[in-house]
Amino acid sequence: MDRGRDPRTVIESHLELRRQGELEADLDRNYSPDVVFLTGTGIFRGHDGVRESAAELEYYLKPGSFEYRNVLVDGRMGFLEWHGEGGNGEVRDGADSYLVEDGLIVYQTIHYTVERP
C-alpha cells in the first residue's frame, strides 16, 4: 500500500469505495488505525469507531445511495458536500471534512440531518 498518496487521491479512493459499499476496503486503504471521527452523535475512534458511525448512517441510507455534490481538497484538508437517500430517510445537507497525513485519513468530521419519510 502506498502511504505517500496525496490527499486528493486518498479522498477520491474513499468516496469511490463508499459509493460501492466497500467499508472494509475503505478502512484498510484510506484510514489510519488511530483515526478520530467527530460527529453530531459523538466522538468515534479507530476503525471500529468508523464502523459504528457508518452503521448509524446506514440505518437511514442504504450503501451506495450517495450523490457527491462538491469535493474540495487543499493541502492536507478535504471537504465534501453530499446528499443521500434510503428507505428510512433522506439527507440533503451532508458535509464531511478530512485531514489526510502520510496517505491516510487521520481526522474526519461529519454532519447531516436525517429527514424521515
Side-chain angles (χ1 to χ4, degrees), residues 13-52:
S13 172
H14 158 68
L15 296 177
E16 183 58 32
L17 287 168
R18 287 299 181 92
R19 180 178 282 139
Q20 295 172 8
E22 296 291 339
L23 174 61
E24 292 305 315
D26 184 29
L27 290 173
D28 289 342
R29 188 171 302 150
N30 298 312
Y31 279 88
S32 165
D34 300 318
V35 65
V36 177
F37 202 79
L38 307 171
T39 77
T41 60
I43 299 173
F44 299 87
R45 297 182 188 281
H47 289 182
D48 284 342
V50 176
R51 286 182 190 101
E52 186 178 345

Side-chain angles (χ1 to χ4, degrees), residues 58-105:
E58 242 178 66
Y59 171 77
Y60 299 105
L61 309 176
K62 64 182 177 187
S65 67
F66 299 96
E67 172 192 353
Y68 305 133
R69 294 186 169 163
N70 191 17
V71 180
L72 303 172
V73 179
D74 186 45
R76 300 179 305 152
M77 292 296 303
F79 176 74
L80 166 69
E81 290 178 307
W82 56 272
H83 167 265
E85 56 187 287
N88 292 322
E90 180 175 6
V91 172
R92 298 174 194 264
D93 65 349
D96 295 21
S97 61
Y98 308 89
L99 176 62
V100 178
E101 294 180 343
D102 298 322
L104 295 171
I105 298 167

Side-chain angles (χ1 to χ4, degrees), residues 2-16:
D2 180 10
R3 295 288 185 226
R5 297 176 305 152
D6 66 272
R8 177 170 300 283
T9 300
V10 172
I11 291 168
E12 287 174 353
S13 172
H14 158 68
L15 296 177
E16 183 58 32

